[in-house]
Amino acid sequence: MRTVTLFIAVSLDGYIADRNGGVEWLQGQDMEYPDEGAEPDSYEEFIRGIDTILMGFNTFHQVNTELSPDVWPYPDQTSYVITHRSLPSTERILFTSEPPCELVRRLREEDGKGIWICGGAGLAQQVMKEELIDVWHISVIPTLLGGGIRLFGELEQERKLRLIKTQSCHGITELVYERR
């Protein structure tokens, strides 16, 4: 069975987007901190083990217009964009209205590498509620937004996790947990 990972960045106060839904605050973190003593960026290692990405339409739109407007940053992975909009799919970007948890369950049973829950909060919260996330890789950005879109909404019950790795790079603290 394939591993499902939530790999996402949050502000120190737990937001994945600002009050306007923007993610500009994610840019330029590495410019503020020297490389001295920094551990290597774990993203490159992570993405090598991923062949499937799931994201909501807002995340797709932000990646396409704000974070990487000139080139799709995931050319080697198949990206599923969960939306009710009727949009034409490409070979590597598939627009679907399939319920997220059903999609994750179906993909987990197929052959392949890991599955990345890329965002946003609504998608992450749905798959968390159904206990479909195996690994949480949370990058904490040293920024306080004071409001916006929270990664974790209210949970019906407590979720216990086990810390398996921490590292710091360019002032960002990465916390990696697995389900207990």
Side-chain angles (χ1 to χ4, degrees):
M1 185 171 295
R2 298 164 72 185
T3 299
V4 177
T5 302
L6 174 65
F7 188 107
I8 199 163
V10 298
S11 64
L12 184 59
D13 50 353
Y15 297 97
I16 63 168
D18 65 24
R19 285 183 173 91
N20 298 318
V23 292
E24 299 82 22
W25 57 277
L26 292 171
Q27 302 293 334
Q29 288 298 315
D30 59 346
M31 305 303 274
E32 298 177 27
Y33 296 91
D35 282 340
E36 272 182 41
E39 294 181 39
D41 182 6
S42 62
Y43 175 77
E44 291 302 322
E45 178 184 338
F46 168 74
I47 199 70
R48 281 193 299 270
I50 297 296
D51 67 2
T52 305
I53 301 172
L54 274 66
M55 66 184 74
F57 182 81
N58 289 341
T59 300
F60 168 77
H61 182 72
Q62 286 174 328
V63 168
N64 225 16
T65 61
E66 293 178 53
L67 299 175
S68 185
D70 298 323
V71 62
W72 183 245
Y74 316 117
D76 299 324
Q77 290 78 24
T78 300
S79 298
Y80 289 85
V81 179
I82 299 167
T83 181
H84 294 292
R85 293 171 172 86
S86 181
L87 299 168
S89 295
T90 67
E91 182 180 341
R92 291 292 196 175
I93 303 172
L94 306 171
F95 295 94
T96 180
S97 61
E98 186 174 354
C101 294
E102 287 179 24
L103 178 59
V104 170
R105 285 185 185 98
R106 180 173 61 79
L107 292 171
R108 282 182 98 162
E109 298 300 322
E110 295 177 1
D111 288 336
K113 296 180 179 180
I115 300 168
W116 173 15
I117 305 298
C118 181
L123 171 59
Q125 290 169 13
Q126 286 179 62
V127 294
M128 276 189 283
K129 182 178 180 181
E130 295 292 319
E131 302 215 21
L132 295 171
I133 297 174
D134 301 305
V135 177
W136 285 257
H137 189 131
I138 311 295
S139 298
V140 182
I141 310 295
T143 299
L144 296 169
L145 293 176
I149 299 172
R150 284 207 171 276
L151 173 57
F152 301 111
E154 289 193 26
L155 298 173
E156 294 174 11
Q157 63 186 23
E158 178 182 0
R159 299 286 194 278
K160 295 202 182 276
L161 306 175
R162 176 181 297 109
L163 181 66
I164 57 173
K165 182 178 180 183
T166 63
Q167 80 177 31
S168 180
C169 184
H170 304 296
I172 298 169
T173 301
E174 295 183 357
L175 306 167
V176 183
Y177 297 92
E178 64 185 7
R179 225 176 343 164
R180 282 205 270 175

